[in-house]
Amino acid sequence: MMDYLAEVTMSIMQKQKSRDPALGYAKDFVPLMERILPILAERKIKVTANAGGVNPRACAAAVADAARRLGLKGKLKIGVVSGDDLLTRLDGLLARGHSLRNLDTGRPLGDVRDRVLSAMHTSARGQSWRRCESARTS
């Protein structure tokens, strides 16, 4: 298990993605994986990480590219969990009457909507990990 994210990290990643749609994930994760992928494949070790940040598909693609360069095509499965980024759905949720109140202050999201850079990357107690949307062979 590798944990890459914190609230401020998500904001930084969202800014990176807004400047370049291919970014938005922990860039140092890919070289790390490239170094250890041969061992992981040989020993059939599973890695779970949230290094994908706000762009998990791009992160998975970068790791898959590394695996192909190492000649590991077909020897690994790379899963992507998505659906927790609500940024593109915020306006619709607010329009339908969801106040999306701050858990600490009770203030509705509508009060600060114009300043939101990254929105509620959620996880229903690990449910999304168990229902990994796609697992494909690299």
Side-chain angles (χ1 to χ4, degrees):
M1 175 66 85
M2 297 177 181
D3 187 8
Y4 278 79
L5 305 180
E7 288 78 7
V8 72
T9 307
M10 296 299 280
S11 295
I12 292 167
M13 289 178 173
Q14 189 65 47
K15 275 205 174 228
Q16 290 171 342
K17 185 180 176 189
S18 71
R19 292 182 186 131
D20 181 346
L23 297 179
Y25 60 90
K27 292 187 284 185
D28 58 337
F29 179 70
V30 178
L32 167 65
M33 293 306 295
E34 192 159 10
R35 284 195 309 273
I36 65 174
L37 279 174
I39 296 166
L40 298 176
E42 178 186 327
R43 297 181 186 175
K44 299 183 190 295
I45 297 171
K46 295 180 181 181
V47 172
T48 302
N50 58 2
V54 299
N55 201 351
R57 292 190 189 289
C59 184
V63 172
D65 287 344
R68 279 190 286 281
R69 283 193 303 275
L70 294 168
L72 298 173
K73 184 175 182 173
K75 296 181 181 178
L76 300 169
K77 289 185 180 181
I78 300 173
V80 175
V81 176
S82 64
D84 64 340
D85 184 355
L86 300 180
L87 187 61
T88 60
R89 298 177 48 207
L90 280 184
D91 294 326
L93 290 167
L94 292 170
R96 287 193 300 278
H98 299 281
S99 61
L100 304 173
R101 295 187 177 277
N102 182 293
L103 292 176
D104 296 321
T105 67
R107 188 175 180 191
L109 183 68
D111 289 357
V112 295
R113 173 61 183 103
D114 61 329
R115 296 187 310 240
V116 174
L117 297 176
S118 180
M120 299 172 287
H121 293 269
T122 62
S123 154
R125 295 190 180 120
Q127 294 296 320
S128 57
W129 289 108
R130 287 191 285 278
R131 293 182 307 212
C132 189
E133 180 182 272
S134 67
R136 66 174 199 269
T137 303
S138 65

